[in-house]
Amino acid sequence: MTYLKKITATLAFASLSAMAQAANPLSVHILDLQSGQPTAGVTVTLEQKNGESWQQLGSAVTNAQGRIAAMYPAETPMQAGDYRIVFKTGEHYARLKQETFFPEIPVQFHVEKTDQHYHIPLLLSPFGFSTYRGN
């Protein structure tokens, strides 16, 4: 395969991959404030409020860049309602053999505009955290 064909194939694959990820309405990202590095290997669950209880919709693990690009169930349109992302940060700090005050960090949010993308970044340290609606 020629160099030009390889580049074209690589760009086409990257483009398709980005389009598939963009189609998912929910993504997350974790950045370790102590090291300034992405936080890989953290389990994250997504739940939707159903009456007075929470129903788990999915679970995934952050990649090497600390991201989960497709958190919402594939091929399912997002519904308006209350949701909760739970970052299982205790597992991460246990692997590092480091104490933490927050073994889990639940982030509850409300969705009204189902045609938008929702991104929830978590800025993490062993004894504090911050989050916001990203894009």
Side-chain angles (χ1 to χ4, degrees), residues 16-65:
L16 287 173
S17 180
M19 284 174 23
Q21 290 176 358
N24 194 283
L26 182 62
S27 58
V28 299
H29 183 210
I30 305 175
L31 180 65
D32 184 325
L33 289 173
Q34 188 173 357
S35 68
Q37 298 297 310
T39 306
V42 174
T43 300
V44 181
T45 60
L46 171 64
E47 302 169 340
Q48 183 176 21
K49 194 163 190 180
N50 187 0
E52 294 301 314
S53 62
W54 292 95
Q55 175 187 359
Q56 184 170 322
L57 298 180
S59 180
V61 177
T62 56
N63 64 17
Q65 291 80 39

Side-chain angles (χ1 to χ4, degrees), residues 72-87:
Y72 202 78
E75 314 266 335
T76 306
M78 186 173 237
Q79 300 174 358
D82 293 321
Y83 292 87
R84 178 170 63 188
I85 290 282
V86 181
F87 297 93

Side-chain angles (χ1 to χ4, degrees), residues 62-116:
T62 56
N63 64 17
Q65 291 80 39
R67 296 178 182 276
I68 301 171
M71 197 67 225
Y72 202 78
E75 314 266 335
T76 306
M78 186 173 237
Q79 300 174 358
D82 293 321
Y83 292 87
R84 178 170 63 188
I85 290 282
V86 181
F87 297 93
K88 310 285 185 167
T89 53
E91 300 168 0
H92 167 69
Y93 285 112
R95 278 192 304 276
L96 296 175
K97 296 179 176 34
Q98 188 172 1
E99 185 181 355
T100 182
F101 189 68
F102 300 103
E104 290 187 349
I105 299 173
V107 178
Q108 190 173 333
F109 59 100
H110 181 76
V111 170
E112 283 191 30
K113 297 177 181 174
T114 59
D115 61 336
Q116 295 185 0

